[in-house]
Amino acid sequence: LKGREFHRASRIPSEFSEEELVAMKEALKGAIQIPTVSFSHEESNFTALAEFGEYIHKVFPTVFNTSFIQHEVVGNYSHLFTIQGSEPRLQPYMLMAHFDVVPAHEEDWEVAPFSGLERDGFIHGRGTLDNKNSVMAILQALELLLTRNYKPRRSFFITLGHDEEVSGTNGAQKMSALLQARGVQLAFIVDECGFILDGFIPNLQKPFAMISISEKGAIDLMLQVNMTPGHSSAPPKETSIGILSAALSRLEQTPMPNMFKSGMLKTMLQQLASEFSFPTNIVLRNLWLFEPLVSRVLERNDVTNALIRTTTALTMYNAGVKVNVIPPVAKATVNIRIHPAQTVVEVLELIKNIVADDRVQFHVLRAFDPLPISPIDDQALGYQMLHQTIQSVFPEVNIVTPGTCIGNTDSRHYTNLTTGIYLFNPVYLQPQDFRSIHGINEKISVQGYQTQVKFIFELIQNSDTDRKPVPHLHEL
Ligand SMILES: CCCCCCCC/C=C\CCCCCCCC(=O)NCC(=O)O
Ligand SMILES: [Zn+2]
Ligand SMILES: [Zn+2]
């Protein structure tokens, strides 16, 4: 869409006063200070979730006092905004984010995780990347547009989930059901997970934007072994702990099949080929020949490995009641993330074959298939709107590529409303930032956050187009 942007006569420039820029970062700091932690399905900080609702009322008064915006609280804490456009013939779209966060072990952090402290140009704290930055940037961009008398042509929804980190069943799932009951169909959805990736690929100097167009599936699988308890002074040859440990070890030592051939990473690397110098450019241009070599290299890194195969992470283990009692039961939970080219049924079959022990019982606690792949062609409005906005807000980024989300987002609850689900946070991400998500020392640069607000400010206006995206000539 280079040089062919959709301009409206009354387009509002994304220029903000010094006062507005300061208010933006202060609003994010305040949001970080509310410890909206999701521990488990049963356990969340409900007081903080309620406080967060009051907080957004306070900092975004115009959003809550505009006649064409309807606000509803769903599932007690999630927020659904319906922004009525002036042209009902234009199919609505949706911006999503979540404001619950994973716990933070305060002692490990350089800066207290719920302080929202600004230091050296960064705002520190849990949720600065995942995903209060998006919650606040969406509302902030809308607030700024409204104070400039903006009225959208295309209707849109904003959904802010309160339980994404524990599956989204009370928030996103209920909001989706509500919208479906109202007969809503969406042109596209934008949610978290893609980024502008910087430094993820050795020898690639340039950052590139990755818009995830699919998301891995998942299985939470409990493995259980029951044995007759007894006195530890005369132990049997095998105990429940030994049998289960051997099964888990086989799982860990046997990687799932390499799906590089049928994944998005292959497309991404082919698209990036010309950015590399000799000989990598030749290798990537000729994957028909070098595929085995490249996929072996990708297996060595945990992130790229997660992009080319289904992964099995042993995350919980429980066994034994007393030191001198043969344990009656041993249980372990495995968190499996399914590559988009596979299904729950296929993966369960593979797992059972690897374990190959009838004494091990399998209990599927939760399972869902990978998300369907969203379109990226010239008519795919969501992808093209993001592409266009990336080009205008990040002119230094000249590669936009489709990717896969290796985590799971609330967007999977909305597959009934659209075929266009695009996962993209307009924020630079380096490998150490990636490790900070659910890890320690999560932070966002003040400038990065302000640019995120600008991006959404532009994206909302770009999405007012009534034209079909224009075919373009460059890659993808
Ligand atoms: C060669 C290309 C390298 C690509 C590197 C991809 C880097 C990954 C970028 C972003 C991933 C961020 C994952 C965030 C997942 C957020 C959702 C979440 O936490 N959900 C809960 C869950 O999955 O358990
Ligand atoms: Zn998230
Ligand atoms: Zn998360």
Side-chain angles (χ1 to χ4, degrees):
L1 297 173
K2 245 173 208 163
R4 302 176 117 182
E5 292 172 12
F6 307 123
H7 284 292
R8 290 195 315 152
S10 56
R11 195 176 172 88
I12 304 167
S14 52
E15 288 157 11
F16 311 119
S17 69
E18 215 30 65
E19 205 178 31
E20 285 171 333
L21 291 170
V22 171
M24 258 181 223
K25 67 173 182 176
E26 293 306 322
L28 178 61
K29 289 180 197 174
I32 301 300
Q33 287 163 7
I34 306 171
T36 49
V37 178
S38 283
F39 295 96
S40 68
H41 278 112
E42 299 75 34
E43 206 192 338
S44 290
N45 186 340
F46 296 110
T47 313
L49 292 175
E51 190 190 333
F52 195 86
E54 288 159 24
Y55 181 70
I56 55 175
H57 269 86
K58 193 177 83 187
V59 290
F60 304 119
T62 323
V63 170
F64 287 90
N65 288 304
T66 291
S67 59
F68 56 84
I69 299 181
Q70 185 195 1
H71 168 247
E72 294 161 275
V73 173
V74 180
N76 292 329
Y77 305 102
S78 284
H79 298 271
L80 166 64
F81 298 86
T82 306
I83 300 99
Q84 200 61 55
S86 55
E87 301 202 24
R89 72 190 164 84
L90 299 176
Q91 193 177 29
Y93 66 99
M94 187 161 97
L95 304 178
M96 297 177 55
H98 67 90
F99 57 93
D100 63 322
V101 295
V102 293
H105 190 243
E106 182 146 359
E107 286 69 40
D108 300 334
W109 287 57
E110 284 166 14
V111 170
F114 297 103
S115 64
L117 197 81
E118 182 179 344
R119 185 188 282 179
D120 301 331
F122 285 82
I123 297 170
H124 293 251
R126 178 61 88 222
T128 47
L129 291 171
D130 180 18
N131 179 240
K132 283 180 177 164
N133 58 318
S134 297
V135 169
M136 296 303 283
I138 292 169
L139 294 177
Q140 184 70 72
L142 181 57
E143 177 81 9
L144 288 164
L145 280 165
L146 295 170
T147 55
R148 288 156 169 78
N149 295 321
Y150 170 76
K151 164 107 210 249
R153 298 175 71 217
R154 189 186 292 273
S155 297
F156 63 102
F157 298 92
I158 296 172
T159 51
L160 308 177
H162 74 274
D163 62 346
E164 189 273 351
E165 296 293 1
V166 286
S167 270
T169 43
N170 284 320
Q173 198 167 308
K174 289 190 174 153
M175 291 191 279
S176 173
L178 187 61
L179 291 172
Q180 185 168 21
R182 291 176 185 169
V184 171
Q185 279 295 304
L186 299 165
F188 64 90
I189 284 176
V190 179
D191 194 9
E192 63 172 335
C193 206
F195 285 96
I196 297 175
L197 299 174
D198 188 9
F200 277 83
I201 307 183
N203 303 324
L204 179 67
Q205 305 303 330
K206 287 188 185 174
F208 64 98
M210 181 185 82
I211 302 173
S212 294
I213 59 168
S214 179
E215 170 175 310
K216 288 181 104 174
I219 309 172
D220 291 337
L221 185 65
M222 205 245 280
L223 276 61
Q224 181 172 341
V225 178
N226 292 343
M227 296 292 275
T228 312
H231 202 291
S232 61
S233 58
K237 292 267 174 306
E238 289 178 292
T239 61
S240 55
I241 292 179
I243 295 165
L244 184 60
S245 301
L248 293 172
S249 176
R250 282 197 292 282
L251 265 187
E252 202 167 59
Q253 298 302 317
T254 319
M256 293 280 128
N258 182 327
M259 310 299 284
F260 178 58
K261 261 188 194 142
S262 35
M264 211 69 67
L265 188 54
K266 186 175 168 187
T267 317
M268 185 191 290
L269 292 177
Q270 281 166 330
Q271 201 185 330
L272 291 169
S274 57
E275 304 298 328
F276 289 89
S277 51
F278 180 82
T280 314
N281 54 353
I282 302 296
V283 169
L284 295 180
R285 275 199 198 108
N286 294 285
L287 284 179
W288 60 273
L289 180 62
F290 295 110
E291 199 174 277
L293 170 80
V294 172
S295 78
R296 269 204 304 281
V297 173
L298 295 170
E299 282 177 336
R300 289 192 210 136
N301 171 284
D302 291 342
V303 177
T304 46
N305 183 53
L307 284 164
I308 60 174
R309 60 161 41 91
T310 294
T311 53
T312 47
L314 316 180
T315 51
M316 291 160 83
Y317 198 106
N318 196 282
V321 288
K322 193 169 182 314
V323 72
N324 59 354
V325 176
I326 297 299
V329 58
K331 293 178 184 181
T333 308
V334 187
N335 182 241
I336 300 160
R337 304 290 177 133
I338 307 170
H339 187 277
Q342 292 178 309
T343 63
V344 168
V345 173
E346 285 166 17
V347 170
L348 279 176
E349 197 53 37
L350 286 167
I351 302 260
K352 285 178 185 168
N353 288 337
I354 293 166
V355 169
D357 187 335
D358 290 342
R359 295 168 298 179
V360 180
Q361 301 165 21
F362 297 92
H363 302 282
V364 176
L365 305 178
R366 184 181 74 126
F368 49 88
D369 282 323
L371 252 63
I373 294 174
S374 297
I376 56 168
D377 60 84
D378 290 332
Q379 305 305 312
L381 190 66
Y383 194 80
Q384 297 305 338
M385 287 300 104
L386 286 170
H387 196 304
Q388 175 194 344
T389 314
I390 290 166
Q391 286 183 327
S392 66
V393 178
F394 300 99
E396 72 283 9
V397 173
N398 51 25
I399 308 160
V400 179
T401 160
T404 303
C405 180
I406 56 175
N408 296 118
T409 69
D410 265 350
S411 69
R412 73 175 183 282
H413 296 297
Y414 295 93
T415 47
N416 51 338
L417 303 184
T418 186
T419 53
I421 297 181
Y422 302 99
L423 307 177
F424 183 66
N425 265 333
V427 172
Y428 273 80
L429 192 84
Q430 296 182 336
Q432 71 265 28
D433 305 319
F434 171 68
R435 287 188 288 275
S436 77
I437 298 176
H438 292 204
I440 56 169
N441 301 329
E442 190 178 346
K443 61 183 188 300
I444 192 169
S445 76
V446 171
Q447 202 217 327
Y449 176 64
Q450 289 163 344
T451 307
Q452 182 172 11
V453 175
K454 177 184 166 80
F455 183 95
I456 296 163
F457 190 95
E458 298 245 334
L459 178 68
I460 291 174
Q461 294 191 77
N462 288 340
S463 301
D464 273 337
T465 183
D466 55 1
R467 280 182 258 172
K468 288 266 177 245
V470 182
H472 49 96
L473 300 173
H474 61 92
E475 66 312 39
L476 288 179

